[in-house]
Amino acid sequence: MLDCQESGSKMTSEKSFEMSEPGRKMPALFIGHGTPMNTLEDNTFSRNWQELGQNLPRPRAILCVSAHWETRGSYVTAMSDPQTIHDFGGFPRALFEYQYPAPGSPELARLVQETVASTPVKADQSWGLDHGTWSVLARMYPQADIPVVQLSLDRSKDPAFHYALGKELHKLREQGILILGSGNIVHNLRTIVFQEGWEEKGLDWAIEFDEAIKKVILSGDHTDAIHYEKFGRAAQLAVNSAEHYLPLLYILGLQDEQDRVTFYTEKCAFGSLSMRSVQIG
């Protein structure tokens, strides 16, 4: 877990998108991101992300909640030029050399700070875009020409906090901001099956939990998604460290009664990674 240091409340006056422009209500997305190799590989998942980027309304900016930025306290990236963070090991050199040079947005960072009332959100100048963000956006928006800001996961808080914080961000959807949660409903690296034929298969307990959460999402009552432990052994295995599951709660918190729910890539990979993606609206 990274214990970030506040880098100060002063942010540049540069605006990377103009808040006075008329916006349209954007959908919200949860993407099951899996391995960062999806950035480079042509497969079911990367093709689906590419199609999403082509079919969604073009956002004015993107706010991402990634499984890979864990902090004590809440932070938002506030720099104009975020770095591409290669926060992994054991992958080919080409992945470490990959850059996603999307601009940041101090203006959007400030808007997030103003929008969230329940907890202080501090401006961060040191993080950037981690692979939970850029591995997905590289396929959705390969031109890297849309401003991107990340919101951290405060791991000192319980799941109900993260769901409620998602609700607070709702008005950003009305301003043309795409809010993206990036993680995995099922994520257990200890039980991954690296055998031929398991690239798009799941273990029984992984499929059980993934399907249970699908039913909860379709019901419109997210109580059991917040209190996922009620699903017993399957939940203990699927959400064994929680950081990949929590971004889903932000997206569920953004749902309106009239929002349609759409699922993509309803598969598991390597036994214990759910690649299910969810579109709200």
Side-chain angles (χ1 to χ4, degrees):
M1 183 184 297
L2 174 68
D3 190 0
C4 290
Q5 298 296 318
E6 183 177 3
S7 38
S9 59
K10 183 178 180 180
M11 293 188 287
T12 176
S13 60
E14 177 185 347
K15 292 186 178 182
S16 46
F17 69 103
E18 182 55 59
M19 291 307 302
S20 62
E21 294 177 359
R24 61 170 296 175
K25 184 179 180 182
M26 287 294 295
L29 289 177
F30 173 80
I31 299 292
H33 69 237
T35 168
M37 284 301 294
N38 291 320
T39 307
L40 304 179
E41 294 177 349
D42 178 30
N43 57 36
T44 300
F45 313 120
S46 62
R47 288 192 296 272
N48 176 254
W49 302 343
Q50 182 177 1
E51 291 172 4
L52 270 173
Q54 293 169 348
N55 295 331
L56 289 174
R58 181 175 172 84
R60 293 162 57 206
I62 299 167
L63 175 64
C64 187
V65 182
S66 166
H68 295 281
W69 191 19
E70 301 176 76
T71 58
R72 295 181 180 90
S74 294
Y75 292 79
V76 61
T77 56
M79 68 286 291
S80 297
D81 297 297
Q83 64 177 322
T84 302
I85 302 173
H86 301 88
D87 49 333
F88 43 67
F91 291 99
R93 180 169 181 169
L95 196 60
F96 289 92
E97 293 178 345
Y98 185 86
Q99 295 291 312
Y100 189 74
S105 175
E107 180 70 8
L108 177 54
R110 183 160 42 246
L111 180 61
V112 171
Q113 291 180 294
E114 294 170 353
T115 300
V116 175
S118 63
T119 191
V121 179
K122 300 173 184 178
D124 174 81
Q125 297 285 347
S126 63
W127 187 246
L129 305 180
D130 60 55
H131 81 268
T133 295
W134 61 256
S135 68
V136 173
L137 295 184
R139 306 310 296 247
M140 291 183 67
Y141 304 109
Q143 298 303 313
D145 56 354
I146 300 173
V148 183
V149 165
Q150 280 198 211
L151 178 65
S152 73
L153 288 173
D154 182 354
R155 290 306 307 277
S156 68
K157 304 297 186 181
D158 63 12
F161 167 88
H162 297 282
Y163 180 79
L165 185 51
K167 280 188 173 294
E168 286 191 84
L169 297 170
H170 183 277
K171 78 174 187 179
L172 300 186
R173 290 181 62 191
E174 307 285 350
Q175 300 190 46
I177 309 302
L178 174 63
I179 303 177
L180 170 68
S182 179
N184 295 97
I185 291 175
V186 177
H187 184 272
N188 191 330
L189 298 184
R190 297 187 182 94
T191 56
I192 277 184
V193 184
F194 284 124
Q195 296 178 11
E196 186 176 353
W198 280 85
E199 292 83 358
E200 295 186 13
K201 289 178 60 178
L203 296 164
D204 289 346
W205 58 263
I207 295 171
E208 175 188 340
F209 185 75
D210 182 67
E211 289 291 334
I213 295 301
K214 175 183 178 178
K215 291 178 181 177
V216 171
I217 295 171
L218 288 174
S219 76
D221 182 349
H222 302 145
T223 303
D224 287 346
I226 298 168
H227 301 286
Y228 57 84
E229 67 278 1
K230 70 162 287 180
F231 294 106
R233 177 178 177 273
Q236 293 173 6
L237 289 167
V239 193
N240 64 325
S241 57
E243 79 284 344
H244 278 73
Y245 181 82
L246 293 175
L248 171 69
L249 298 182
Y250 285 79
I251 303 310
L252 297 185
L254 291 162
Q255 184 177 7
D256 290 328
E257 287 186 8
Q258 69 272 23
D259 279 333
R260 178 182 177 184
V261 176
T262 307
F263 296 105
Y264 303 95
T265 57
E266 298 185 79
K267 298 181 179 183
C268 288
F270 304 109
S272 57
L273 294 176
S274 165
M275 298 299 292
R276 180 183 300 279
S277 297
V278 186
Q279 178 179 330
I280 301 296

